[in-house]
Amino acid sequence: MADLPVDTIVFEILTRVPAKDVGRSKSVCKQWYALLSTQDFIRIHCSCSLVSSNQRVILIDDLACSVHPIIFRSNAYGPSSIVTFPFHHQNNDVSILSHLNGLLCVYLNHSYELLLWNPTTTAFKRLSTPDSHGFYINNLDVVGLYVDADDDYKVLHIKRRRGVLGFCVYSREVDSWRNIPFITRQEYLSPHFNWSAGTFCGGTLYFTVCECWLGVQGDKLSTRSFYRNGSRCFSECKK
């Protein structure tokens, strides 16, 4: 092992070990800490984690949450490991809104606060600010996690408030929120429209909006799709 180049150890071996072991390896020396913190390493490690043997599911109950390996051959869960919430919470308080590469965006029902949380490292970040950013209202708001061209993890928060549809983005790199433009139809403010959680795929964050109403001939459903790509404004997909 001592004869192996550091890059080989980091990018060919440590990219294949569990995230907890990667965290412990950061304390070996400053060089390892720097290499294990690069976006290149994070990207490769996440890619290696996509194999079926590394897949996990996280379940939240009243007071705690548990992580289970997925046994695909039997469509079952393996033995669980308990994860303790590192932040203050109440019963039935924590809801997962979005996830990306092991990072979760959750909100606390009692305080309406949004948080970023890594269950593996237990690190978390409160996203609420004194100017009312980072507060989530269930059935009115929706969020999505994505990574931009500079490998900055971001949270897109869509809010419906007093007849206004607002769009703002939190940057993990600069630790701040900013509003982004979106020209939309007034009809999307209606409670008849239900926004899905964001899905990040191929470098683009997608949302689906479903319109549902009751009529003489029964329920009807129509869908619209929206996307956020790079530095472009949030836009409606063309049909």
Side-chain angles (χ1 to χ4, degrees):
M1 179 71 76
D3 297 329
L4 290 175
V6 172
D7 285 356
T8 300
I9 297 174
V10 171
F11 290 99
E12 298 297 330
I13 298 176
L14 293 181
T15 51
R16 292 170 170 79
V17 305
K20 281 189 176 181
D21 294 327
V22 172
R24 296 188 186 101
S25 300
K26 286 184 176 182
S27 62
V28 171
C29 63
K30 291 183 178 180
Q31 184 183 18
W32 278 37
Y33 181 89
L35 288 172
L36 294 173
S37 300
T38 62
Q39 291 297 332
D40 285 340
F41 176 84
I42 294 173
R43 189 184 304 110
I44 296 172
H45 188 269
C46 289
S47 177
C48 292
S49 299
L50 293 177
V51 299
S52 59
S53 60
N54 290 329
Q55 297 298 295
R56 301 287 188 273
V57 63
I58 184 168
L59 303 177
I60 296 179
D61 58 21
D62 292 348
L63 297 175
C65 67
S66 55
V67 177
H68 305 253
I70 303 175
I71 305 174
F72 288 94
R73 286 178 294 181
S74 59
N75 294 321
Y77 297 150
S80 65
S81 58
I82 301 300
V83 177
T84 303
F85 292 118
F87 42 81
H88 173 71
H89 66 96
Q90 300 177 2
N91 289 354
N92 298 309
D93 195 31
V94 182
S95 297
I96 298 174
L97 302 176
S98 186
H99 62 90
L100 181 64
N101 295 338
L103 189 65
L104 305 180
C105 183
V106 304
Y107 95 102
L108 306 180
N109 294 281
H110 81 279
S111 64
Y112 306 104
E113 287 183 279
L114 287 174
L115 293 85
L116 284 177
W117 173 39
N118 187 328
T120 301
T121 65
T122 71
F124 71 95
K125 170 67 178 178
R126 296 184 185 273
L127 305 185
S128 56
T129 65
D131 57 355
S132 299
H133 281 304
F135 290 95
Y136 181 93
I137 298 180
N138 196 25
N139 297 323
L140 289 179
D141 296 4
V142 67
V143 301
L145 277 170
Y146 69 100
V147 181
D148 68 9
D150 297 319
D151 290 323
D152 182 13
Y153 280 74
K154 293 186 173 180
V155 179
L156 176 62
H157 184 191
I158 303 172
K159 302 184 288 186
R160 284 184 282 188
R161 300 286 191 279
R162 301 186 180 92
V164 177
L165 194 63
F167 297 78
C168 49
V169 172
Y170 172 82
S171 166
R172 192 182 182 195
E173 181 70 25
V174 300
D175 188 25
S176 66
W177 289 92
R178 66 181 179 89
N179 295 321
I180 61 172
F182 177 51
I183 300 174
T184 184
R185 306 173 190 174
Q186 191 69 19
E187 62 185 292
Y188 296 140
L189 294 170
S190 168
H192 292 300
F193 284 89
N194 181 38
W195 291 70
S196 72
T199 299
F200 187 65
C201 179
T204 301
L205 182 64
Y206 294 94
F207 294 84
T208 298
V209 180
C210 295
E211 182 183 19
C212 187
W213 68 95
L214 295 176
V216 176
Q217 297 179 346
D219 297 348
K220 296 182 179 180
L221 178 69
S222 64
T223 62
R224 323 287 168 88
S225 297
F226 300 83
Y227 69 95
R228 164 80 175 170
N229 190 350
S231 60
R232 283 189 251 168
C233 299
F234 196 66
S235 307
E236 183 170 359
C237 294
K238 295 181 181 180
K239 294 184 179 180

